[in-house]
Each structure stands twice: as structure tokens, then as C-alpha cells.
Amino acid sequence: MKRKTLFVLILAFGLLIAWILIITDEQVRDKLGPTLYIIGFAITGAMLLLLAGYVWDQALVKTLRSIHSTTDSIKIESQPMGADEESDSDEIIGLARKIERMARSLQQVEASYKGIVEDQPDLICRYKNDGKITFVNGAYARAVNRKRNEVVGEDFPYFAPGAAIADEPYTFESEMTFNDGRRLWIRWTQRAIKDDERTTMEYQAVGHDITERKEAEAALLRAKEAAEAADRAKSEFLAIVSHELRTPINAIVGFSKMLGSTTLTLDQREQVEMINSSGLALEKIIADILNLSKLESGKVDIEHAPFPIRSCVQDICAFYAPKARSVALALDSKVDSSVPEIVNSDEGRIRQILNNLIGNALKFTERGGVSVEVSCARGEPIEPGSHRRVARLFFAIKDSGIGIPPEKLDGLFQPFSQVDTSSTRRRGGTGLGLIISKRLCDLMGGSISVESRVGEGSTFRFSILTDFEEA
Ligand code: ADP
């Protein structure tokens, strides 16, 4: 039992005994006479006062205990209960001390949070549900170049009356103009601040200055647009120049051919043939440059018309057969039975790719031969119930030529890329054939790749997306 309770009980008990002694002793009763009633009332009053005081004291202790348990549930960094507290005889004083310590702790916590908020370079602002600002940090006040108390009470600039602000953080970017003329891009993260009962108390907006990033993005965009404009200008220039060069070259090729049919000495004939072959080589270079510049500037349209793919491949092989025979190379073609007779695509462009690849294969092969293989993967009808089905055609051009070193394979499909410029000089070429083929494959929904081993040969594969009418 607590000392205080014991003391109250002893006192009450003492008063009771005194009262019993008084009223049981006849002599005392007679001596006191009517004063007996006064003493009786006094003793009863004193006992009631004592009991009321005790009850009030207990109620106070109970209240403080509940405060105690509430504060204990809040994890505040407070000092542990000291020995002095345990030895504290008065519970009320003990609790009061604890509350005082807690208040100090809370002040420390508040000071440290305030420090964090104030040291933030980000703009922090709190506002009520009518948009009126209740708090801004130093960074916000500095950014708007105003005193804090001037800003508090004003409307938050991005408050939209009636617009629901999500519980989850919501982010948006905006450009702010300040009274000193500065313009900053700020990324705001906004959310509702709720109490324990999930009732919205206030809203909070945290703004991060992203002006530098925005300026860098804008500079990048400008640079990209400038680069694109320069690229377009380059392609247009190439197209105009190539076109202008064609006319005189046509004349060189045409007149040298005519001259070759006249009576000439052996030396003259050799020189005229050289003029003619140089003219033809120049014509090819110009055609390639024109082709690539058109492809790069997106001016090439792909046709979609039916044509017999087998005879297309056979024609090209027949065209190269004399050339292959002249250098003792075999040239075979094999079109798989899965390939439809007629496909819808751009025959001219497919011929162009095959010409490039078969021409290269013959050019870079000294022994053995070249083979052309075509296969097909038939797909779904282009729409439900339709007789027309999509198909992917696969082409493989294999040779047993000089091959390409592995480190050169990656850069092969780049403009003007040639593995060995000295050998290419001997064999001729512009370094544009593969990049043109790649661009055409891309346009026809396909791709191109190469496998090669030095000294063993190369295989160029490409695919295109097409469709065909089912028989
Ligand atoms: P080019 O007009 O020079 O042949 P391409 O773009 O068609 O231009 O080819 C680029 C280079 O790739 C060639 O110069 C050559 O070095 C290499 N190359 C292409 N095809 C083959 C092949 N079948 N075998 C070996 N090297 C090849």
C-alpha cells in the first residue's frame, strides 16, 4: 500500500477513535455539553475533507498515468527513467518531471525537423484546403524573393479550387516567373497531409528546381533539330549534285560507246574502252549516292505489287552466270518449295539487294562458288477469312571467298565502309552497297546480317516481309 494511502487511513482512523472516545465517555460528554456537537461536526467535516482530497488525488494520478502511458507509446527520444525517478516518493512529481522531459525532447525533435526543412534547397510549402499558405521554408521565401510572413496567408500559385489532391504524391512541372523577372522550372510533388483518423489537415507541395535540366533538354532538342536540318541539307545537296553529274556522265558513256564502234587503232580502242568503263563506274557511284541520299531522307517508296519471285532470282543468277563462268566460279540458286509462286512486294528493290550481294560475293571470291538460297515462313491471313497470307522471305547468299575479319563485321553496314581499301580498289566498289541494302531491308520490314570466316567465305542473309494470295 502506498505511504500516502496509509497516512490518510491512519488519520481517518485516529479521528474516528477520537470521536468514539468522546461520545462513549459520559464525563467528557457532560463537560463539553453543546460543544460536543460542534466537535462532532468538525471531526466529520475533517474526515469528509480528507476522503474528498484523497479521491481527488487518486483521480489526478489516474489522469497523469493515462498521459504517461500515451507519452510512452510515442517513441520520443527521451532519457531513460533514472534512479532518482524510481526513488521519487511522489508519483505526481515523478510524472510531472517526465512530462517536462518529454516537452524538452519534443522541442529538440521539432528543432531538428525544422533544421532539416530549413536546410532543404527544395521549396516547401503547406497550405489549407482553401489554397491559403500556412507555412513556407526559407528556400521558398528566397525563391520568390519575399519575406515569409508576406507569403503566409496568400494563395498557393498552383492551387486549383475544387481539384482533388491525391493521397499519393502527385508530381507536375511548371515554369514560375518571379517578381524580379527570373523564370525557373520547378517540379512539384504535392500530397495531402492526414491525421491519425485519415482526415486531411493540410496539403504539402515540395518543389525541386529543374531549370538546368530543362535548359539542357531544350539545348539538346535545338542541337538535334539543327543536326537533322544539316542532314536534310546534305541529302538534298547530294541528290542535286548527283543528278547534275548524271547528264555529262551519260554523254561520256554514250559517246565512248559510239566511238568504240568506229575504226580505231588498237591503242585508241583500249583508251576508248577505258573511258567507257570509267564512265560506267562513275555512273554506278553516282547512282549509289543518289540512292542512299534518297533513302536517308525518307524519299523512297516501296511498291507492293505481285511478281514471280522464282523467276526474279533465276533471272539475276542468269545475268551473273557469264561473269561467274569467266572466272571459273560456280553460281547456283535454290528456291525452296515453301516459297509461293507469286508474292506481293517491290521486285525492283529485291533485285537491287540481290544484285549488291551477288555482285559482292563474285567480286570477293577467287575459288569455289556462290549460291543463292530462298526460303519462306508462311504466316496468318492478313485479316480473318482472307485468302491473303503474310509471309517472310529469307535469302542467303553464300560464297567461298576471302571472308571478313570478325572485328570488321560490326561496321560493315555503315556508309563507305570497306574492309580492305587496297583490295577494294583492285576489285572496285563504293562502300555503299551494303548500307543501301540494309536501308531497303528495313523499309521492307526485314533485316540483314552476315556470318563470315577469313579465308573460308561469307554468308549474307536478309529477310523481307511480304504477302501472297493462297491458291
Ligand atoms: P562495295 O561497293 O565496296 O562492295 P559494299 O557496301 O557492298 O561496298 O561492301 C562494303 C565492303 O564489305 C566491301 O568493300 C568489302 O570489303 C566487304 N564485303 C562485302 N561483301 C563481301 C563478301 N561477300 N566477301 C568479303 N567481303 C565483302
Side-chain angles (χ1 to χ4, degrees), residues 170-243:
Y170 158 72
T171 303
F172 64 92
E173 292 177 1
S174 72
E175 194 181 21
M176 277 180 105
T177 308
F178 298 104
N179 53 4
D180 56 0
R182 279 172 308 128
R183 290 165 80 87
L184 295 183
W185 270 97
I186 310 281
R187 192 185 71 234
W188 290 100
T189 303
Q190 215 170 220
R191 70 185 179 93
I193 306 290
K194 309 239 169 188
D195 62 13
D196 289 348
E197 268 87 51
R198 308 285 309 141
T199 314
T200 300
M201 291 159 28
E202 278 190 333
Y203 299 101
Q204 177 173 287
V206 178
H208 186 67
D209 184 353
I210 52 162
T211 313
E212 265 181 40
R213 197 198 80 196
K214 280 279 178 189
E215 280 171 358
E217 277 174 9
L220 214 65
L221 194 72
R222 280 197 299 275
K224 185 175 164 268
E225 281 168 1
E228 279 171 358
D231 204 46
R232 270 196 305 277
K234 182 204 80 184
S235 299
E236 271 165 31
F237 171 77
L238 280 176
I240 293 166
V241 168
S242 321
H243 195 76

Side-chain angles (χ1 to χ4, degrees), residues 80-88:
M81 282 213 189
D84 60 327
E85 184 171 350
E86 269 161 33
S87 67
D88 208 331

Side-chain angles (χ1 to χ4, degrees), residues 360 363-364 399 404 412 417-419 424 429-431 433-434 458 460:
N360 276 350
K363 198 160 67 176
F364 295 103
D399 67 57
I404 302 158
L412 213 58
S417 109
Q418 292 183 322
V419 174
T424 320
T430 55
L434 290 181
S458 314
F460 282 82

Side-chain angles (χ1 to χ4, degrees), residues 37-59:
Y37 297 105
I38 297 167
I39 292 171
F41 278 128
I43 290 176
T44 316
M47 278 173 66
L48 284 174
L49 263 173
L50 205 65
L51 281 171
Y54 181 71
V55 169
W56 184 80
D57 185 57
Q58 286 304 306

